Amino acid sequence: MSLDTPHITRLGDIVLARHGKPALSRKCWLTAQQYRDWWGRYDAGGLLEGQAVPPGIMQTAREAGTIYASTLRRAQETAAAVSQGQPVHTHAVFVEAPLPPPHWPDWFKMPPRLWGVVARLWWHVFNHHDGQESRLEAEARAGRAADMLIERALAGQDVLVLAHGYFNHMIGQQLKARGWKLVDDQGFKYWCQRRFRRA
C-alpha cells in the first residue's frame, strides 16, 4: 500500500508487549535435562493469579485497531486480561523462539533464569537448536511477523502484539530494519510495551 494513499490520514503505531508473569516458579535448581522439562511446563502454563494489569497496556489495547496474540497459553491469558472484549487474532508466528539448553552433565545445576541466559546464548551465538527452530529460521519468522504488522499499521490502525520477550525483540529488530523507530521503550519485563512508529 502506498504511503501517499489519499484516504490514509495517519499511519498506525506497532506496540510489542510481553505477557504477564507466569505461574510456574523459577525458585529451583535444575540440570540441563530438568530445564528442558521445566521449559516445556512453562510453555504449557498460564499466568500467576491475582496480578494487577498495568493501566498503560489497557489503554494501548483500547486504542488498538488490531490485537494479536501468540498461541501460547500465557499470551492468550494476557490477551484475555487486556482486550476488554475486543477481538484477538491468535497467530503462531508470534510464539517465543526456542530455548534448548546445551548438553551439560547432570552434576551441573542452575536456576531457570540462568539456564535461560545460557540457552539463549548457545542458540543465538553457537546455533545450538537441538532440531528445533534455528536462529536463522526464527529471524525469517520475525521478518514475516513484522511484515504482517506493518501491513495493518499502513492501513491506519494501531496494532498491539501480546507475545514474548525475546521474540518481540527479534520482531523489533526487523521493524527497525524496515524504517520503523522505537519511540517508547518500557523494556522487556512482564506487561511492558515497546512502541514503534514509522520514521
Side-chain angles (χ1 to χ4, degrees):
M1 179 179 293
S2 173
L3 297 184
D4 58 2
T5 303
H7 71 279
I8 299 298
T9 58
R10 64 176 289 273
L11 303 181
D13 290 347
I14 297 172
V15 181
L16 306 177
R18 192 181 181 194
H19 55 77
K21 184 177 182 179
L24 187 62
S25 174
R26 294 174 183 263
K27 296 179 180 179
C28 54
W29 287 71
L30 306 169
T31 66
Q33 182 57 51
Q34 288 170 336
Y35 177 73
R36 290 185 189 93
D37 297 338
W38 184 93
W39 182 256
R41 296 195 304 275
Y42 181 84
D43 262 356
L47 298 185
L48 183 68
E49 293 183 1
Q51 294 180 65
V53 181
I57 197 169
M58 299 291 284
Q59 180 66 26
T60 299
R62 281 193 293 271
E63 295 173 350
T66 304
I67 300 175
Y68 284 108
S70 156
T71 55
L72 296 179
R73 180 179 167 186
R74 58 190 184 275
Q76 290 290 302
E77 292 185 3
T78 301
V82 307
S83 61
Q84 303 161 85
Q86 293 176 257
V88 174
H89 303 273
T90 298
H91 207 298
V93 74
F94 300 113
V95 301
E96 183 61 290
L99 269 179
H103 295 279
W104 289 357
D106 284 348
W107 58 260
F108 188 88
K109 293 187 177 184
M110 291 191 297
R113 189 176 303 278
L114 289 181
W115 272 120
V117 172
V118 169
R120 183 60 70 212
L121 179 68
W122 252 244
W123 179 83
H124 189 90
V125 177
F126 303 115
N127 195 35
H128 172 78
H129 54 81
D130 256 4
Q132 302 180 54
E133 184 180 45
S134 71
R135 173 188 168 186
L136 290 178
E137 290 168 338
E139 287 175 345
R141 176 163 63 92
R144 294 194 299 273
D147 289 339
M148 178 190 306
L149 301 175
I150 289 170
E151 182 178 3
R152 290 280 182 161
L154 292 185
Q157 296 184 351
D158 284 354
V159 185
L160 171 62
V161 178
L162 301 163
H164 310 276
Y166 196 80
F167 196 69
N168 278 357
H169 163 72
M170 297 184 76
I171 296 174
Q173 294 299 104
Q174 295 289 333
L175 290 173
K176 289 178 182 178
R178 288 157 170 76
W180 291 70
K181 182 179 180 181
L182 179 61
V183 296
D184 183 25
D185 187 359
Q186 296 181 359
F188 296 96
K189 293 182 179 180
Y190 302 126
W191 302 108
C192 285
Q193 309 173 70
R194 304 174 78 236
R195 180 179 292 268
F196 292 83
R197 188 168 292 158
R198 182 64 181 251

